Amino acid sequence: MTNRLAHENSPYLLQHKDNPVDWYPWGEEALEKAKAENKPIFLSIGYAACHWCHVMEHESFEDEPTAALMNDLFVNIKVDREQRPDLDNIYMKAVVAMTGQGGWPMSVFLTPDGEPFYGGTYFPPERRYNMPAFREVLRAVAEAWEQDREGIGEQAGRLKTHIAREFSGLAGQGQALDPSVMDAAVMKLAQNYDWRNGGWGKAPKFPQPMAIEFLLQRAARGEKMAIDMALHALQSMARGGMYDVAGGGFARYSVDDFWLVPHFEKMLYDNAQLACAYLHAWRLTGEPAFRRVTEETLDFVARELAHPDGGFYSSLDADSEGEEGKFYVWTPDEIKAALPDNQAELVIAAYGVTEKGNFEGQNVLQRALDDEAVAEQFGVPVDQVPERLSTAHEGLLAARAGRVRPGTDDKVLASWNGLMLRAFAEAGRYLKNPRYTDIAKRNGAFLLAHLHREDGRLLRAWREGQAAHLAYLEDYGALALGLLALYQSDPDPNWFAAARRLVDSLLGLFSDPDGGFYDTGEDHEELLVRPRDLQDNATPSGSSLAVRALLALAAYTGDGAYRQAAENALSPMNRLLVQYPTAFANWLCTYDFALGPVDEVAILGEDTGPLEAVLWEAYRPRMVAAISAFPPDPQSPELLHERPLLDGKTTAYVCRGFVCERPVSQAQDLQNQLVPTGKSPIS
C-alpha cells in the first residue's frame, strides 16, 4: 500500500512511496495535522542520488516496527532538497548549530509550528558508529515532547534566533571595489593549496570548480601563481578516479586525498561547472588534454543526462544492484574480456590495474603511468598514447553498457540546467562545434517553454510534463546567465530578451530594500525565516549569480540601475572573500568581472564570421558580445543600437565604460583593440 508520496513528482519522494511510514510531502496538510494533533514533526530531507539516504530508508523507513513507531509518535514529512533548497537551507543551519556538522539524509524534529528543536543526519537502526539507534532517538524525542515542552520551546526559540541571524545579510554598503581583495584571495588560496595531490582541503575532497574559474580569470590577467594552481588542480582530477575515464564526467567528490575513490554519484551541476573550467583552461593554454576532458564530459551529459526534448536530468545514483560504484569498477579479467589483448594490456598498465584492486577488491581507473612511461613500455610514439587510450576507453564504455545502470533522477531543475546551458553554449563557440550549440539551443527553448509561466514567473522543477515549485534566486540568476551565454553563441535577440526579463523579474521578486537579495521571492510561502545564503557551496549562491547577471546586463544595456544593484550586493563582501575564498569563489569570479575592464563588443553586418572568430580565439572572461545583422532587432541589446556600418561593411565596435574605440571592419584591427589575453604556458 502506497503513502501520500505516490502523488508527488520527485524521483526521491517516489522512492519512498511504498514505505510503511505515513509520509507527507511538505505542505499545509501535514503542518495542520501536526497542529491539530499536537504532535511533533519528523522532517527527513535527502535527494535521489544520496547513498546514505538509501541506507537509512532500507534500514529504518522500510522496517515495519520502526515505521509504526514513527506513525504513532510523529507527523512524518519527506522533502527532496533539490526541489526545496529553501527548506534544506533553513533546517541545515539548525542541524549544524546542534551537532557541528551537516549532511544527508538530514533528520530534524520540529514543533507543529515548524521550529526545529533536535536533529542530526543518518541514524543507524542499532547503536553503532558512536551513534544512537534511530528508534531510541524517536522514543527519546517523543518523551521529551510530552514531559519537557517548556525546554523544547526554549531550544526552538534559540535555534530560530540563530537561523535568523545566519540569514541576516551583511552591513557595509558603500565600500569601493578594491583590486587588492583579488590579490589577497589568490594568496589565501595558494596558502591552503595541496601541491602534492591537487585541490583544497582533506578527504572528503571536493573539486572546487568555482575557485579554479577564479584562478583562470586571474591567469588571464597574467598571474602565474593563479595559473599554476588552476592547471595543477585540473590535471590532478583528470587522471581518473573521480573522473570517469571510460565514459566521461565527474563524480561528486573523492573519499580520499588523492582523487582515487569517488563517491560515485554524478551530479549535473558538478559536470556543468567542471566542463566550463576545463574548457577555459584549454582556451587559455591550448593543452589538448583539457579539451578532451571538456568534450568527454559534455558528451557524457548529452548521452546519459539529456531528455529527448532538450532538458537535462539532475543526477545518476552512486549505487547499482545495491552496491556503491559497481557500475564503474573493473577487474583485470573484465578488462581483458572487453578489449583486444593489446588494448587490454595498455589499459591495465596505464591505470595500474591489479588482481587485488584499489577499491573493495576491484579497480577504480586512475592513471598510474604517464604518457611517456606508457610509450616507453609499449614501444609506441608518445603522441599516439592518448588516441590509443581513447580507443580503449570506447571499448570499456561499450562493455559497461551491458551492466545494470545506476538510477537516474530525471527531474529538470532550472538553476542546474542554466549552468549546463552555459557550458554547452560556450563549448559550441570556443570549440567551433555546432552540435554543442544545437544542444544549448534545444535546452534554452525547453526551459523557456516548460519552466517559464505565461505570467512571467519561473518555476523550479519539471518532470514528465509537470512543472512545480516557485523558482528561487539561483534559478533566475543561473538561467539568465545561461541564456546570455547562448545569445553570444547564437545571436538570436530572443535569448537576450528572455535573459533580460528574468533579471528584471529577479529585481522585483528577490531584492532586499537595504541591499542584496533574498533566496525566495516575495510571493513565496511564509517559512520559519526568509532565507538568504551568501555562501557558494556545491553550486553558486543565488546572490553571486544574480550579481553576475546584473553586471552583464549593465554592460549590454548601459543601464546604471543594473550596475548599482550589483554593487550594493558586492560592496559588503570584501572581508569574506579574503578570509574564505573557497566558500565565496563565485563571488570572486563576479568581483573580478566587476573590476573590469570589460570589453563591450558590438558586431553588425551581413558576414560577421571573421570578426566573431577573433572574439573566441582567446579566453576573454571580461567581455560581452552582441552580434547582429544590420539594422539590429529592437529586442537586441542597446550595445548594438545607433551603430552605423563603416563604409557599408560589417563593423565592430569595442567599448569600455562608456568610451568606445573607433569602429573597425578588419579582424586584425579588432584584435588590436581588445584587452590583451590569451595563451599562458603550462608550468
Side-chain angles (χ1 to χ4, degrees):
M1 182 171 178
T2 59
N3 55 47
R4 291 167 181 80
L5 300 185
H7 305 295
E8 294 299 302
N9 201 29
S10 155
Y12 176 65
L13 299 186
L14 290 171
Q15 287 172 3
H16 295 78
K17 67 182 176 61
D18 296 314
N19 295 167
V21 179
D22 186 18
W23 289 117
Y24 285 77
W26 181 273
E28 284 300 319
E29 183 181 6
L31 300 174
E32 290 302 322
K33 178 180 173 67
K35 291 175 183 176
E37 298 181 8
N38 197 25
K39 280 186 175 181
I41 294 167
F42 172 65
L43 174 64
S44 177
I45 301 180
Y47 58 104
C50 167
H51 171 72
W52 286 101
C53 299
H54 299 324
V55 172
M56 190 166 178
E57 179 191 13
H58 176 67
E59 292 176 341
S60 295
F61 304 150
E62 293 177 353
D63 179 67
E64 294 280 355
T66 302
L69 197 62
M70 294 171 67
N71 296 339
D72 181 49
L73 299 176
F74 302 94
V75 173
N76 301 289
I77 299 178
K78 176 65 74 172
V79 164
D80 181 342
R81 67 173 294 262
E82 295 169 355
Q83 282 189 340
R84 294 299 305 265
D86 52 341
L87 296 172
D88 181 63
N89 205 348
I90 289 169
Y91 292 110
M92 185 62 77
K93 291 279 192 289
V95 169
V96 171
M98 286 184 277
T99 68
Q101 61 185 13
W104 300 275
M106 181 169 28
S107 305
V108 199
F109 295 89
L110 319 177
T111 70
D113 292 323
E115 297 179 348
F117 61 88
Y118 183 75
T121 53
Y122 164 79
F123 289 105
E126 309 294 340
R127 286 177 175 254
R128 59 173 182 254
Y129 311 128
N130 238 356
M131 301 169 70
F134 183 52
R135 276 185 279 183
E136 293 176 347
V137 172
L138 294 172
R139 292 190 183 97
V141 171
E143 182 178 348
W145 178 256
E146 290 300 323
Q147 298 182 7
D148 188 19
R149 196 74 55 87
E150 183 178 349
I152 284 176
E154 292 173 355
Q155 167 76 340
R158 287 191 294 269
L159 283 170
K160 183 177 180 179
T161 299
H162 170 79
I163 295 167
R165 189 183 305 117
E166 290 282 294
F167 289 132
S168 61
L170 293 173
Q173 286 85 342
Q175 299 175 22
L177 297 184
D178 182 358
S180 70
V181 169
M182 303 290 93
D183 298 330
V186 171
M187 183 59 67
K188 187 66 174 282
L189 287 169
Q191 290 169 347
N192 294 321
Y193 188 73
D194 180 355
W195 286 104
R196 178 182 294 274
N197 302 306
W200 293 266
K202 297 292 185 180
K205 200 163 195 174
F206 291 84
Q208 306 289 356
M210 288 171 270
I212 295 170
E213 283 281 15
F214 167 64
L215 293 172
L216 292 173
Q217 288 184 207
R218 301 306 294 178
R221 296 184 187 268
E223 292 190 15
K224 187 178 186 304
M225 186 186 300
I227 192 68
D228 287 348
M229 273 187 284
L231 300 188
H232 185 263
L234 294 170
Q235 290 162 338
S236 299
M237 292 187 293
R239 292 171 54 225
M242 200 186 77
Y243 179 66
D244 179 4
V245 297
F250 290 83
R252 180 71 197 91
Y253 59 83
S254 173
V255 302
D256 51 59
D257 291 338
F258 320 110
W259 305 113
L260 172 60
V261 178
H263 185 44
F264 290 91
E265 65 191 18
K266 286 182 173 181
M267 312 300 295
L268 182 69
Y269 57 76
D270 286 319
N271 286 285
Q273 295 175 91
L274 286 163
C276 278
Y278 280 90
L279 174 67
H280 297 157
W282 169 76
R283 186 69 282 180
L284 190 63
T285 66
E287 169 56 39
F290 294 146
R291 177 172 185 150
R292 174 181 54 78
V293 172
T294 301
E295 293 173 332
E296 290 175 353
T297 300
L298 294 176
D299 291 346
F300 150 69
V301 172
R303 183 180 67 243
E304 300 189 38
L305 288 177
H307 186 281
D309 293 339
F312 297 123
Y313 301 143
S314 294
S315 64
L316 292 181
D317 206 329
D319 301 0
S320 56
E321 299 184 81
E323 295 183 26
E324 185 178 6
K326 185 174 183 179
F327 185 72
Y328 298 101
V329 295
W330 299 88
T331 64
D333 287 344
E334 287 172 333
I335 292 174
K336 292 173 183 176
L339 301 174
D341 289 347
N342 60 331
Q343 290 184 7
E345 292 171 3
L346 190 75
V347 168
I348 287 170
Y351 292 101
V353 175
T354 64
E355 294 291 341
K356 180 181 179 182
N358 55 25
F359 173 69
E360 298 180 357
Q362 300 189 77
N363 293 268
V364 176
L365 299 183
Q366 186 186 66
R367 285 296 289 270
L369 301 179
D370 61 21
D371 287 357
E372 289 75 13
V374 172
E376 182 178 353
Q377 181 170 332
F378 288 89
V380 300
V382 67
D383 60 355
Q384 291 185 14
V385 172
E387 183 177 350
R388 293 190 180 211
L389 282 174
S390 180
T391 301
H393 295 160
E394 292 174 5
L396 294 177
L397 182 63
R400 199 171 75 183
R403 299 178 178 179
V404 176
R405 283 179 51 79
T408 302
D409 184 335
D410 60 354
K411 67 178 180 292
V412 175
L413 296 175
S415 64
W416 299 8
N417 272 249
L419 297 174
M420 200 74 238
L421 171 58
R422 178 193 174 202
F424 273 105
E426 291 198 8
R429 63 177 182 264
Y430 279 132
L431 302 177
K432 300 179 182 178
N433 188 330
R435 173 173 166 262
Y436 290 155
T437 302
D438 287 343
I439 290 172
K441 289 163 63 176
R442 283 169 53 80
N443 181 245
F446 179 94
L447 297 172
L448 293 176
H450 295 289
L451 285 170
H452 199 236
R453 292 193 320 207
E454 290 184 3
D455 65 0
R457 191 58 161 96
L458 190 66
L459 298 178
R460 166 75 172 177
W462 179 95
R463 181 175 180 272
E464 294 187 346
Q466 297 180 15
H469 305 293
L470 294 177
Y472 302 93
L473 179 65
E474 66 180 81
D475 297 304
Y476 280 80
L479 183 51
L481 288 169
L483 290 168
L484 290 175
L486 178 55
Y487 171 66
Q488 295 183 95
S489 299
D490 175 46
D492 181 339
N494 289 304
W495 301 129
F496 175 80
R500 188 171 190 171
R501 286 193 297 270
L502 287 171
V503 173
D504 288 340
S505 295
L506 178 158
L507 288 171
L509 286 166
F510 300 96
S511 292
D512 179 349
D514 295 326
F517 303 95
Y518 293 102
D519 293 336
T520 54
E522 61 180 13
D523 55 351
H524 200 75
E525 69 178 283
E526 186 175 351
L527 300 172
L528 186 67
V529 296
R530 191 175 181 186
R532 176 198 345 231
D533 193 359
L534 297 177
Q535 185 169 323
D536 298 315
N537 295 298
T539 56
S541 69
S543 290
S544 65
L545 289 167
V547 172
R548 183 62 177 266
L550 286 162
L551 291 169
L553 260 291
Y556 272 117
T557 67
D559 188 337
Y562 292 133
R563 177 79 188 194
Q564 188 61 56
E567 290 194 2
N568 287 345
L570 267 178
S571 60
M573 297 296 296
N574 291 8
R575 179 183 59 81
L576 291 175
L577 301 187
V578 172
Q579 289 185 332
Y580 311 106
T582 56
F584 296 92
N586 195 57
W587 282 103
L588 287 168
C589 296
T590 300
Y591 202 106
D592 179 77
F593 183 90
L595 286 170
V598 174
D599 282 337
E600 302 157 2
V601 182
I603 300 176
L604 301 98
E606 293 307 313
D607 182 16
T608 61
L611 294 178
E612 283 186 66
V614 172
L615 304 182
W616 316 126
E617 68 185 11
Y619 173 50
R620 305 186 190 281
R622 289 166 293 277
M623 181 183 73
V624 298
I627 300 155
S628 176
F630 186 84
D633 186 281
Q635 291 194 101
S636 296
E638 284 83 341
L639 187 58
L640 286 165
H641 295 177
E642 299 181 12
R643 307 283 191 195
L645 299 183
L646 183 65
D647 299 327
K649 300 176 183 177
T650 299
T651 303
Y653 292 80
V654 177
C655 306
R656 297 181 195 92
F658 309 108
V659 178
C660 295
E661 303 275 359
R662 62 181 177 83
V664 296
S665 293
Q666 298 300 314
Q668 186 59 56
D669 293 334
L670 174 59
Q671 174 74 60
N672 293 339
Q673 289 185 354
L674 294 170
V675 171
T677 185
K679 293 183 179 180
S680 297
I682 295 181
S683 301

